[in-house]
Coordinates of all heavy atoms in Angstrom, one line a residue:
M26 N -1.7 11.0 21.4 CA -2.5 11.8 20.5 C -3.7 10.9 20.1 O -4.8 11.4 20.1 CB -1.7 12.1 19.2 CG -2.5 12.9 18.2 SD -1.7 13.2 16.6 CE -0.2 14.0 17.1
F27 N -3.5 9.6 19.7 CA -4.6 8.7 19.4 C -4.7 7.7 20.5 O -3.6 7.3 21.1 CB -4.3 8.0 18.1 CG -4.4 8.9 16.9 CD1 -3.3 9.4 16.3 CD2 -5.6 9.3 16.4 CE1 -3.3 10.2 15.2 CE2 -5.7 10.2 15.3 CZ -4.5 10.6 14.7
P28 N -5.9 7.2 20.8 CA -6.0 6.0 21.7 C -5.2 4.8 21.2 O -5.1 4.6 20.0 CB -7.5 5.7 21.8 CG -8.1 7.0 21.3 CD -7.2 7.6 20.4
S29 N -4.6 4.1 22.1 CA -3.7 3.0 21.7 C -4.5 1.9 21.0 O -3.9 1.1 20.2 CB -3.0 2.4 22.9 OG -3.9 1.9 23.8
R30 N -5.8 1.8 21.2 CA -6.5 0.7 20.5 C -6.6 1.0 19.0 O -6.9 0.1 18.2 CB -8.0 0.6 21.0 CG -8.8 1.8 20.7 CD -10.3 1.5 21.3 NE -11.1 2.6 20.9 CZ -11.5 3.6 21.7 NH1 -11.1 3.6 22.9 NH2 -12.3 4.5 21.3
F31 N -6.3 2.2 18.5 CA -6.3 2.5 17.1 C -4.9 2.3 16.5 O -4.7 2.5 15.3 CB -6.8 3.9 16.8 CG -8.2 4.2 17.2 CD1 -8.5 5.2 18.1 CD2 -9.2 3.4 16.7 CE1 -9.8 5.4 18.4 CE2 -10.5 3.6 17.0 CZ -10.9 4.6 17.9
A32 N -3.9 2.0 17.3 CA -2.5 1.9 16.8 C -2.4 0.9 15.7 O -1.7 1.2 14.6 CB -1.6 1.6 17.9
P33 N -2.9 -0.3 15.8 CA -2.7 -1.3 14.7 C -3.3 -0.8 13.3 O -2.7 -0.9 12.3 CB -3.4 -2.6 15.1 CG -3.4 -2.4 16.6 CD -3.6 -1.0 16.9
A34 N -4.5 -0.2 13.4 CA -5.2 0.3 12.2 C -4.4 1.5 11.6 O -4.3 1.6 10.4 CB -6.6 0.7 12.5
L35 N -4.0 2.4 12.5 CA -3.2 3.5 12.0 C -1.9 3.1 11.4 O -1.5 3.6 10.4 CB -3.0 4.5 13.2 CG -2.4 5.8 12.8 CD1 -3.2 6.6 11.8 CD2 -2.2 6.7 14.1
F36 N -1.2 2.2 12.0 CA 0.0 1.7 11.5 C -0.2 1.0 10.1 O 0.6 1.3 9.2 CB 0.7 0.6 12.4 CG 1.9 0.0 11.9 CD1 3.1 0.8 11.9 CD2 1.9 -1.3 11.4 CE1 4.3 0.2 11.4 CE2 3.1 -1.8 10.9 CZ 4.3 -1.1 10.9
G37 N -1.3 0.2 10.0 CA -1.6 -0.4 8.7 C -1.9 0.6 7.6 O -1.4 0.5 6.5
L38 N -2.6 1.7 8.0 CA -2.9 2.7 7.0 C -1.6 3.5 6.6 O -1.4 3.7 5.4 CB -3.9 3.7 7.7 CG -4.4 4.8 6.8 CD1 -5.2 4.3 5.7 CD2 -5.2 5.8 7.6
I39 N -0.8 3.8 7.5 CA 0.5 4.5 7.2 C 1.4 3.6 6.3 O 1.9 4.0 5.3 CB 1.2 5.0 8.4 CG1 0.4 6.1 9.1 CG2 2.6 5.5 8.1 CD1 0.9 6.5 10.5
L40 N 1.5 2.3 6.8 CA 2.4 1.4 6.0 C 1.8 1.2 4.6 O 2.6 1.1 3.6 CB 2.5 0.1 6.8 CG 3.5 -0.9 6.2 CD1 4.9 -0.4 6.2 CD2 3.4 -2.2 7.0
S41 N 0.5 1.0 4.5 CA -0.1 0.8 3.2 C 0.2 2.0 2.3 O 0.5 1.9 1.1 CB -1.6 0.6 3.3 OG -2.2 0.6 2.1
G42 N 0.1 3.2 2.8 CA 0.3 4.4 2.0 C 1.8 4.5 1.6 O 2.0 4.9 0.4
L43 N 2.7 4.2 2.5 CA 4.1 4.3 2.1 C 4.5 3.2 1.1 O 5.3 3.5 0.2 CB 5.0 4.2 3.4 CG 4.9 5.4 4.3 CD1 5.7 5.1 5.6 CD2 5.5 6.6 3.6
M44 N 3.9 2.0 1.3 CA 4.3 1.0 0.3 C 3.7 1.3 -1.1 O 4.4 1.0 -2.1 CB 3.8 -0.4 0.8 CG 4.5 -0.9 2.0 SD 6.3 -1.2 1.7 CE 6.2 -2.5 0.5
S45 N 2.5 1.8 -1.1 CA 1.9 2.1 -2.4 C 2.7 3.3 -3.1 O 2.9 3.3 -4.3 CB 0.4 2.4 -2.4 OG 0.2 3.6 -1.6
L46 N 3.2 4.2 -2.2 CA 4.0 5.3 -2.8 C 5.3 4.8 -3.4 O 5.7 5.1 -4.5 CB 4.3 6.3 -1.6 CG 5.1 7.5 -2.0 CD1 4.3 8.5 -2.8 CD2 5.6 8.2 -0.7
L47 N 5.9 3.9 -2.7 CA 7.2 3.3 -3.1 C 7.0 2.5 -4.4 O 7.7 2.6 -5.4 CB 7.8 2.4 -2.0 CG 9.1 1.7 -2.4 CD1 10.2 2.7 -2.5 CD2 9.4 0.7 -1.3
V48 N 6.0 1.6 -4.4 CA 5.8 0.7 -5.6 C 5.4 1.5 -6.8 O 5.8 1.3 -7.9 CB 4.8 -0.4 -5.2 CG1 4.3 -1.2 -6.4 CG2 5.3 -1.3 -4.2
S49 N 4.5 2.5 -6.6 CA 4.0 3.3 -7.7 C 5.2 4.1 -8.3 O 5.3 4.3 -9.5 CB 2.8 4.1 -7.4 OG 3.2 5.1 -6.4
G50 N 6.1 4.6 -7.4 CA 7.2 5.4 -7.8 C 8.2 4.5 -8.7 O 8.7 4.9 -9.7
I51 N 8.5 3.3 -8.2 CA 9.4 2.4 -8.9 C 8.8 2.0 -10.3 O 9.4 2.1 -11.3 CB 9.7 1.2 -8.1 CG1 10.5 1.5 -6.9 CG2 10.4 0.1 -8.9 CD1 10.7 0.4 -5.9
S52 N 7.5 1.7 -10.3 CA 6.9 1.2 -11.5 C 6.7 2.4 -12.5 O 6.9 2.2 -13.7 CB 5.5 0.6 -11.3 OG 4.6 1.5 -10.7
T53 N 6.4 3.6 -12.0 CA 6.3 4.8 -12.9 C 7.7 5.1 -13.4 O 7.8 5.4 -14.6 CB 5.7 6.0 -12.1 OG1 4.5 5.6 -11.6 CG2 5.6 7.2 -13.0
G54 N 8.7 5.1 -12.6 CA 10.1 5.4 -13.1 C 10.5 4.4 -14.1 O 11.2 4.8 -15.1
R55 N 10.2 3.1 -13.9 CA 10.6 2.1 -14.9 C 9.9 2.3 -16.2 O 10.4 2.0 -17.3 CB 10.5 0.7 -14.4 CG 11.5 0.4 -13.3 CD 11.4 -1.0 -12.9 NE 11.5 -1.9 -14.0 CZ 12.6 -2.7 -14.2 NH1 13.6 -2.6 -13.4 NH2 12.7 -3.5 -15.2
A56 N 8.6 2.7 -16.1 CA 7.8 2.8 -17.3 C 8.1 4.0 -18.2 O 8.1 4.0 -19.4 CB 6.3 2.8 -16.9
V57 N 8.3 5.2 -17.5 CA 8.4 6.4 -18.3 C 9.7 7.1 -18.1 O 10.0 8.1 -18.8 CB 7.3 7.4 -17.9 CG1 5.9 6.8 -18.2 CG2 7.3 7.9 -16.5
G58 N 10.6 6.6 -17.2 CA 11.9 7.2 -17.0 C 11.7 8.4 -16.0 O 10.6 8.8 -15.6
L59 N 12.9 9.0 -15.7 CA 12.9 10.1 -14.7 C 12.9 11.5 -15.4 O 13.7 12.3 -15.1 CB 14.1 10.0 -13.8 CG 14.1 8.7 -12.9 CD1 15.4 8.6 -12.1 CD2 12.9 8.6 -12.0
G60 N 12.0 11.7 -16.3 CA 11.9 12.9 -17.1 C 11.3 14.0 -16.3 O 11.0 13.9 -15.1
P61 N 11.1 15.2 -16.9 CA 10.5 16.3 -16.2 C 9.1 16.2 -15.7 O 8.7 16.8 -14.7 CB 10.6 17.4 -17.2 CG 10.7 16.7 -18.6 CD 11.3 15.4 -18.3
D62 N 8.3 15.3 -16.3 CA 7.0 15.1 -15.8 C 6.8 13.9 -14.9 O 5.7 13.5 -14.6 CB 6.0 14.9 -17.0 CG 6.4 13.8 -17.9 OD1 7.6 13.3 -17.8 OD2 5.6 13.4 -18.7
F63 N 7.9 13.3 -14.4 CA 7.9 12.2 -13.5 C 7.1 12.4 -12.2 O 6.3 11.6 -11.9 CB 9.3 11.7 -13.2 CG 9.4 10.6 -12.1 CD1 9.0 9.3 -12.4 CD2 9.7 10.9 -10.8 CE1 9.0 8.3 -11.5 CE2 9.7 10.0 -9.8 CZ 9.4 8.7 -10.2
A64 N 7.3 13.5 -11.6 CA 6.6 13.8 -10.3 C 5.1 13.8 -10.5 O 4.3 13.3 -9.7 CB 7.1 15.1 -9.7
A65 N 4.6 14.4 -11.6 CA 3.2 14.5 -11.8 C 2.6 13.1 -12.1 O 1.5 12.8 -11.6 CB 2.9 15.5 -13.0
L66 N 3.3 12.3 -12.9 CA 2.9 11.0 -13.2 C 2.9 10.1 -12.0 O 2.0 9.3 -11.8 CB 3.8 10.4 -14.3 CG 3.6 11.0 -15.7 CD1 4.7 10.5 -16.7 CD2 2.2 10.7 -16.3
W67 N 3.9 10.2 -11.2 CA 4.0 9.4 -9.9 C 2.9 9.8 -9.0 O 2.2 8.9 -8.4 CB 5.3 9.7 -9.3 CG 5.6 8.9 -8.1 CD1 4.9 7.9 -7.6 CD2 6.7 9.0 -7.2 NE1 5.5 7.3 -6.4 CE2 6.6 8.0 -6.2 CE3 7.8 9.9 -7.2 CZ2 7.5 7.9 -5.2 CZ3 8.7 9.7 -6.1 CH2 8.6 8.8 -5.2
T68 N 2.6 11.1 -8.8 CA 1.5 11.5 -8.0 C 0.1 10.9 -8.5 O -0.7 10.4 -7.7 CB 1.4 13.0 -7.9 OG1 2.6 13.5 -7.4 CG2 0.3 13.5 -7.0
S69 N -0.1 11.0 -9.8 CA -1.3 10.4 -10.4 C -1.4 8.9 -10.1 O -2.4 8.4 -9.8 CB -1.3 10.8 -11.9 OG -2.4 10.2 -12.5
A70 N -0.3 8.2 -10.4 CA -0.3 6.8 -10.2 C -0.5 6.4 -8.7 O -1.3 5.5 -8.4 CB 1.1 6.2 -10.6
W71 N 0.1 7.2 -7.8 CA -0.1 6.9 -6.4 C -1.5 7.1 -5.9 O -2.1 6.3 -5.2 CB 0.9 7.7 -5.5 CG 0.8 7.4 -4.1 CD1 1.0 6.2 -3.5 CD2 0.6 8.4 -3.0 NE1 0.8 6.3 -2.1 CE2 0.6 7.6 -1.8 CE3 0.4 9.7 -3.0 CZ2 0.4 8.3 -0.6 CZ3 0.2 10.3 -1.8 CH2 0.3 9.6 -0.6
L72 N -2.1 8.2 -6.3 CA -3.5 8.5 -6.0 C -4.4 7.5 -6.5 O -5.4 7.1 -5.9 CB -3.9 9.9 -6.4 CG -3.2 11.1 -5.7 CD1 -3.6 12.4 -6.3 CD2 -3.5 11.0 -4.2
T73 N -4.1 7.0 -7.7 CA -4.9 5.9 -8.3 C -4.8 4.6 -7.5 O -5.9 4.0 -7.2 CB -4.5 5.6 -9.8 OG1 -4.6 6.9 -10.5 CG2 -5.4 4.6 -10.4
T74 N -3.6 4.3 -7.1 CA -3.5 3.1 -6.2 C -4.2 3.2 -4.9 O -4.7 2.3 -4.4 CB -2.0 2.7 -6.1 OG1 -1.3 3.7 -5.5 CG2 -1.4 2.3 -7.4
C75 N -4.1 4.4 -4.3 CA -4.8 4.6 -3.0 C -6.3 4.5 -3.2 O -6.9 3.9 -2.4 CB -4.4 6.0 -2.5 SG -2.7 6.1 -1.8
L76 N -6.8 5.0 -4.3 CA -8.2 4.9 -4.5 C -8.6 3.5 -4.8 O -9.6 3.0 -4.2 CB -8.6 5.8 -5.7 CG -10.1 5.8 -6.1 CD1 -11.0 6.3 -5.0 CD2 -10.3 6.6 -7.4
A77 N -7.9 2.8 -5.5 CA -8.2 1.4 -5.8 C -8.1 0.6 -4.5 O -8.9 -0.3 -4.3 CB -7.2 0.8 -6.9
G78 N -7.1 0.8 -3.7 CA -7.0 0.1 -2.4 C -8.1 0.4 -1.5 O -8.6 -0.5 -0.8
G79 N -8.6 1.6 -1.5 CA -9.7 2.0 -0.7 C -11.0 1.4 -1.1 O -11.8 0.9 -0.3
L80 N -11.2 1.3 -2.4 CA -12.4 0.7 -3.0 C -12.4 -0.8 -2.8 O -13.5 -1.5 -2.8 CB -12.6 1.0 -4.5 CG -12.9 2.5 -4.7 CD1 -12.9 2.7 -6.2 CD2 -14.2 2.9 -4.1
S81 N -11.2 -1.5 -2.8 CA -11.2 -2.9 -2.7 C -11.1 -3.4 -1.2 O -10.9 -4.5 -1.0 CB -10.0 -3.4 -3.4 OG -8.8 -3.0 -2.8
G82 N -11.3 -2.5 -0.3 CA -11.3 -2.9 1.1 C -10.0 -2.5 1.9 O -9.8 -3.0 3.0
G83 N -9.1 -1.8 1.3 CA -7.9 -1.4 2.0 C -6.8 -2.4 1.9 O -6.9 -3.4 1.2
A84 N -5.8 -2.1 2.7 CA -4.6 -2.9 2.6 C -4.8 -4.2 3.5 O -5.7 -4.3 4.3 CB -3.4 -2.1 3.2
G85 N -3.9 -5.1 3.3 CA -3.9 -6.3 4.1 C -4.5 -7.5 3.4 O -3.8 -8.5 3.1
G86 N -5.7 -7.4 3.0 CA -6.4 -8.5 2.3 C -6.4 -9.8 3.1 O -6.3 -10.9 2.5
G87 N -6.4 -9.7 4.4 CA -6.4 -10.9 5.2 C -7.6 -11.8 5.1 O -8.6 -11.4 4.5
A88 N -7.5 -13.0 5.7 CA -8.7 -13.9 5.7 C -9.8 -13.2 6.5 O -9.6 -12.4 7.4 CB -8.3 -15.2 6.3
A89 N -11.0 -13.6 6.2 CA -12.2 -13.1 6.9 C -12.1 -13.4 8.4 O -11.9 -14.5 8.8 CB -13.5 -13.6 6.3
G90 N -12.2 -12.3 9.2 CA -12.1 -12.5 10.6 C -10.7 -12.6 11.2 O -10.5 -12.7 12.4
A91 N -9.7 -12.6 10.3 CA -8.3 -12.7 10.8 C -7.8 -11.3 11.1 O -8.3 -10.4 10.6 CB -7.5 -13.4 9.7
P92 N -6.7 -11.3 11.9 CA -6.1 -10.0 12.1 C -5.5 -9.4 10.8 O -5.4 -10.1 9.9 CB -5.0 -10.3 13.1 CG -5.3 -11.6 13.7 CD -6.1 -12.3 12.7
H93 N -5.3 -8.1 10.8 CA -4.8 -7.4 9.7 C -3.6 -8.1 9.0 O -2.6 -8.3 9.7 CB -4.4 -6.0 10.1 CG -3.8 -5.2 8.9 ND1 -4.6 -4.7 7.9 CD2 -2.6 -4.8 8.6 CE1 -3.9 -4.0 7.1 NE2 -2.6 -4.1 7.4
G94 N -3.7 -8.5 7.8 CA -2.6 -9.2 7.1 C -2.5 -10.7 7.3 O -1.8 -11.3 6.6
A95 N -3.2 -11.2 8.3 CA -3.1 -12.6 8.5 C -3.7 -13.4 7.4 O -4.9 -13.1 7.0 CB -3.7 -13.0 9.9
G96 N -3.1 -14.4 6.9 CA -3.6 -15.2 5.9 C -3.4 -14.7 4.5 O -3.7 -15.3 3.5
A97 N -3.0 -13.5 4.3 CA -2.8 -12.9 3.0 C -1.6 -13.5 2.3 O -0.5 -13.4 2.7 CB -2.6 -11.4 3.1
G98 N -1.9 -14.2 1.2 CA -0.9 -14.7 0.4 C -0.2 -16.0 0.9 O 0.8 -16.5 0.4
T99 N -0.7 -16.6 2.0 CA -0.1 -17.7 2.6 C -0.3 -19.0 1.8 O 0.4 -19.9 1.9 CB -0.5 -17.9 4.1 OG1 -1.9 -18.0 4.1 CG2 0.0 -16.8 4.9
A100 N -1.4 -19.0 1.0 CA -1.7 -20.2 0.2 C -0.6 -20.5 -0.7 O -0.2 -21.7 -1.0 CB -3.0 -20.1 -0.5
E101 N 0.0 -19.5 -1.3 CA 1.1 -19.7 -2.3 C 2.4 -20.2 -1.6 O 3.3 -20.7 -2.3 CB 1.4 -18.4 -3.1 CG 0.3 -17.9 -3.9 CD -0.8 -17.1 -3.1 OE1 -0.5 -16.7 -2.0 OE2 -1.8 -16.9 -3.6
L102 N 2.5 -20.0 -0.3 CA 3.8 -20.3 0.4 C 3.8 -21.7 1.0 O 4.8 -22.2 1.4 CB 4.0 -19.2 1.5 CG 4.2 -17.8 1.0 CD1 4.3 -16.9 2.2 CD2 5.3 -17.7 0.0
R103 N 2.6 -22.3 1.0 CA 2.5 -23.6 1.7 C 3.1 -24.7 0.7 O 2.9 -24.6 -0.5 CB 1.1 -23.9 2.0 CG 0.5 -23.1 3.1 CD -0.8 -23.5 3.5 NE -1.4 -22.6 4.5 CZ -2.6 -22.0 4.4 NH1 -3.3 -22.3 3.4 NH2 -3.0 -21.2 5.3
A104 N 3.7 -25.7 1.3 CA 4.2 -26.8 0.5 C 3.0 -27.7 0.1 O 2.1 -27.8 0.8 CB 5.2 -27.6 1.3
P105 N 3.1 -28.3 -1.1 CA 2.0 -29.1 -1.5 C 1.9 -30.3 -0.6 O 2.9 -30.9 -0.1 CB 2.4 -29.5 -3.0 CG 3.8 -29.1 -3.2 CD 4.2 -28.2 -2.1
A106 N 0.6 -30.7 -0.4 CA 0.4 -31.9 0.5 C 0.5 -33.2 -0.2 O 0.5 -33.4 -1.3 CB -1.0 -31.8 1.1

């Protein structure tokens, strides 16, 4: 369906959407509970995170010129020198 050269970008886009859906659902559920308006609040929260992710450059946050996700958050994982 799509050329294989777009596979990494498409995978990143799908994974980013699913992860933001999951995280926004968990945080919304913890904040307001699973009441009757949960689905509307979750949808609103998810769309907000998708918009914020798109405006900030999308998912990954990798180092400049690095492959998708490379270098993201690795500074915190390194042992002190």
Side-chain angles (χ1 to χ4, degrees):
M26 180 185 307
F27 292 100
S29 62
R30 68 176 184 258
F31 295 124
L35 185 60
F36 177 75
L38 183 66
I39 292 170
L40 186 61
S41 173
L43 290 175
M44 289 300 294
S45 66
L46 180 72
L47 178 68
V48 170
S49 65
I51 291 171
S52 61
T53 302
R55 290 185 56 106
V57 299
L59 299 176
D62 58 343
F63 171 75
L66 291 170
W67 183 8
T68 303
S69 174
W71 182 56
L72 291 175
T73 303
T74 58
C75 286
L76 179 62
L80 292 177
S81 68
H93 179 74
T99 55
E101 296 84 13
L102 299 177
R103 293 188 186 128

